[in-house]
Amino acid sequence: MAIMNIKKFFIQTFGCQMNVYDSERVGYLLEGEGYERAEAPEEADLIFLNTCSVREKPAQKVYSALGRFQGLKERNPRLLIGVGGCVAQQEGEGLLERFSYVDFVLGTKELPRLKGILKDLEGSGKRQTAIGLEGRVDPYALLPSYSPRSKACSFVSIMQGCDNYCTYCVVPFVRGREVSRPSRDILEEIRSLASCGVKEVTLLGQNVNSYGQKPGGEIGFVQLLEAVEAISGIERIRFTTSHPKDLSGDLAGAFGRLSRLCEHIHLPLQSGSDRILRRMNRGYTREEYWEKVQALRRNCPDISITADLMVGFPGEAEEDFAATVKMIERVQFDEFFSFKYSDRPQTRARLFADKVSEDVSQRRLEEIQTLQKKITRQRNKRWEGREVEVLVEGRSKTNAEESAGRTRTRHLVNFSGKYDPDGALVKLKITKALAHSLIGEALPRGETPS
Ligand code: SAM
Ligand code: SF4
């Protein structure tokens, strides 16, 4: 009979890995409160949208999703709908005014208050908002400890917020000042993940290279990596995102020195034009970026380098764009994410007058994407015939008879055989390189499929 009373929750996550991590923690908090996970929003008693406002498009997606959930609320008035994350932080009470069916709004640092908010909602039925940003240093210290659902890999937040104020970016306004999590908490969390069988951790922050230089952290980023390397059971360490201006020679050296540090770095370039980089307030020139790339490749010749790039930033002339194209050709990224600039609230760039038209931005975006497609294909080719270690993450998305996993360089590999459970480390030979993935076959000494 009690089963009838069990409540279910559904979380929809938008945006970056940080939000994925936050959603996981919220899920554990709700499970601790007796909720179960719903397979679909239609089954849920509580829907939580963890939102992203970094670009206009993801922010719009949040509003469309809210529109879809309105119908569910009409059919089930007891359904609770909450909005968290960056859009919640940005819009606050405004969301309650605009969407009469939203029950609560929870800012980026207020996740631990979810329990109290649900209680207050139950008690008073009064809609709630909590969007304090600066008071709470480490919300994760107040969220239930993490017990991963995937054996393969897990995210671990090492810092909050950002102090860089790139002129296009909303993050400092919605995630607050940069604060490092105490290293003992991070290491404790990673030890507990390792004891659950997790093999790979990705350390998360908006600018992990400055870990420890801001309030909260007592050791530097490379020291933190060394401490993670010493945790038994963790076979692979990744991190994201690195800011090029703070990438030290010591960190480049760590790629050659730390055996568990995977040979991949995500190093957002944004633009190849010094003039635009200055206007973006990025704090490096294209030459300085290139020197860092060379230092990384000197220390770790096989390292794969990915990036974020933006086109159509205000004032981006044809020669600025040509400089970006040149940098793409010079660096030979393994892959990149590319975006058209969009105005974001509170940022300085939204006030820049010389906006680039949608048509021009679209053309530039397509041009760099076409160029990179060719480069990625060529870069992937270098893996053909080589032996690699792959961490199995589950079934292949394209063929249920195949498994999928990632190399240390973060290339996706599909290969025959089913490996259960996920989290197996297997040796494969790469037989073919495709545009976005590799195909592999098991080596005799690799683990055998189940
Ligand atoms: N902290 C990271 C960094 O320094 O690069 C990434 C932050 S942001 C969450 C992820 C990416 O979104 C950025 O690297 C940038 O390329 C893109 N982005 C941020 N603001 C944008 C805007 N206003 N318009 C278009 N793209 C944007
Ligand atoms: Fe945004 Fe720049 Fe901070 Fe990255 S470093 S989060 S782009 S302000």
Side-chain angles (χ1 to χ4, degrees):
M1 253 188 318
I3 287 177
M4 298 294 290
N5 292 327
I6 289 179
K7 291 188 175 167
K8 291 193 168 185
F9 70 92
F10 182 84
I11 302 179
Q12 182 158 5
T13 308
F14 300 83
C16 63
Q17 294 102 323
M18 199 75 86
N19 273 9
V20 174
Y21 177 77
D22 286 353
S23 291
E24 287 282 340
R25 302 293 298 246
V26 168
Y28 292 118
L29 184 148
L30 290 170
E31 282 174 341
E33 291 305 291
Y35 278 80
E36 279 183 1
R37 286 173 196 270
E39 293 293 320
E42 292 75 15
E43 294 170 15
D45 304 283
L46 166 65
I47 294 176
F48 184 69
L49 286 90
N50 196 5
T51 62
C52 169
S53 64
V54 83
R55 286 175 299 280
E56 201 176 344
K57 232 181 182 172
Q60 287 307 332
K61 277 191 194 163
V62 172
Y63 296 124
S64 318
L66 275 173
R68 282 196 302 279
F69 294 144
Q70 180 176 16
L72 296 181
K73 181 90 170 191
E74 281 162 6
R75 267 175 270 152
N76 172 14
R78 295 183 60 189
L79 168 68
L80 292 179
I81 297 182
V83 183
C86 299
V87 173
Q89 189 66 50
Q90 201 173 281
E91 302 296 323
E93 288 274 339
L95 277 172
L96 294 187
E97 283 161 25
R98 188 165 160 195
F99 301 96
S100 60
Y101 50 92
V102 169
D103 298 285
F104 65 93
V105 174
L106 209 52
T108 50
K109 286 202 166 184
E110 297 285 12
L111 298 178
R113 285 182 60 182
L114 178 57
K115 208 160 118 180
I117 281 194
L118 291 175
K119 227 176 229 136
D120 289 351
L121 266 167
E122 233 167 61
S124 69
K126 206 165 155 267
R127 299 158 83 207
Q128 309 277 326
T129 309
I131 53 164
L133 195 55
E134 296 307 340
R136 205 184 296 289
V137 173
D138 182 12
Y140 301 117
L142 298 170
L143 285 166
S145 63
Y146 200 55
S147 54
R149 283 192 291 158
S150 160
K151 285 274 184 204
C153 30
S154 221
F155 293 131
V156 177
S157 164
I158 65 164
M159 59 209 296
Q160 289 259 305
C162 182
D163 284 348
N164 286 315
Y165 291 93
C166 301
T167 54
Y168 51 80
C169 185
V170 80
V171 169
F173 305 102
V174 292
R175 292 257 171 196
R177 300 304 302 262
E178 195 172 303
V179 180
S180 301
R181 270 182 91 190
S183 60
R184 64 172 182 282
D185 291 0
I186 297 168
L187 297 171
E188 192 47 50
E189 189 171 321
I190 298 175
R191 271 186 219 107
S192 117
L193 290 169
S195 70
C196 298
V198 166
K199 302 251 174 50
E200 177 183 300
V201 286
T202 303
L203 310 182
L204 295 180
Q206 292 299 343
N207 178 13
V208 292
N209 301 157
S210 66
Y211 175 81
Q213 291 166 25
K214 295 291 161 77
E218 10 29 81
I219 57 174
F221 184 55
V222 173
Q223 280 172 289
L224 181 69
L225 289 174
E226 286 164 353
V228 179
E229 166 108 351
I231 295 177
S232 144
I234 297 299
E235 304 288 344
R236 291 176 163 200
I237 308 167
R238 301 186 187 281
F239 56 82
T240 195
T241 296
S242 274
H243 195 305
K245 80 175 163 57
D246 295 313
L247 195 155
S248 63
D250 198 16
L251 179 57
F255 278 101
R257 191 162 54 80
L258 302 181
S259 64
R260 293 184 168 130
L261 183 58
C262 289
E263 296 83 8
H264 167 240
I265 189 165
H266 187 68
L267 195 61
L269 168 65
Q270 311 299 0
S271 169
S273 152
D274 284 346
R275 198 178 69 86
I276 296 296
L277 286 171
R278 237 183 350 262
R279 283 182 67 127
M280 288 177 164
N281 192 32
R282 286 293 286 176
Y284 54 87
T285 61
R286 65 167 172 260
E287 219 41 50
E288 283 162 351
Y289 185 96
W290 174 238
E291 281 162 19
K292 309 240 167 173
V293 166
Q294 286 177 302
L296 287 163
R297 288 186 172 145
R298 258 195 317 275
N299 284 285
C300 183
D302 255 342
I303 195 164
S304 88
I305 301 181
T306 56
D308 292 345
L309 279 139
M310 202 188 296
V311 295
F313 185 78
E316 186 187 66
E318 284 305 329
E319 63 256 36
D320 297 309
F321 176 65
T324 296
V325 171
K326 222 169 163 179
M327 251 332 243
I328 294 169
E329 285 165 342
R330 188 184 200 191
V331 175
Q332 298 278 301
F333 294 107
D334 285 82
E335 199 136 27
F336 59 60
F337 297 109
S338 47
F339 310 103
K340 284 183 279 186
Y341 164 83
S342 57
D343 278 341
R344 302 315 295 138
Q346 293 173 278
T347 60
R348 269 169 57 206
R350 87 188 194 286
L351 303 173
F352 293 174
D354 38 5
K355 297 278 155 53
V356 174
S357 74
E358 169 64 24
D359 287 356
V360 170
S361 297
Q362 182 62 31
R363 173 182 47 81
R364 291 178 183 170
L365 186 72
E366 285 169 18
E367 189 175 328
I368 60 169
Q369 288 177 345
T370 307
L371 170 62
Q372 184 56 35
K373 226 175 172 170
K374 266 196 239 150
I375 296 174
T376 298
R377 213 177 245 281
Q378 277 162 13
R379 296 277 301 161
N380 283 355
K381 278 255 174 235
R382 78 191 201 280
W383 293 104
E384 282 185 357
R386 288 176 68 177
E387 290 179 16
V388 293
E389 177 203 86
V390 166
L391 179 62
V392 182
E393 292 182 7
R395 294 275 183 273
S396 155
K397 285 201 175 115
T398 48
N399 180 347
E401 293 306 304
E402 289 189 345
S403 296
R406 291 202 180 257
T407 61
R408 288 173 57 98
T409 49
R410 227 181 159 272
H411 288 85
L412 177 68
V413 186
N414 290 301
F415 57 101
S416 337
K418 294 178 183 171
Y419 288 81
D420 283 322
D422 57 2
L425 279 165
V426 295
K427 293 267 186 231
L428 300 176
K429 182 173 177 176
I430 300 303
T431 52
K432 198 168 170 52
L434 304 176
H436 297 290
S437 61
L438 306 173
I439 298 182
E441 66 184 25
L443 287 168
R445 67 175 178 281
E447 287 184 31
T448 43
S450 56

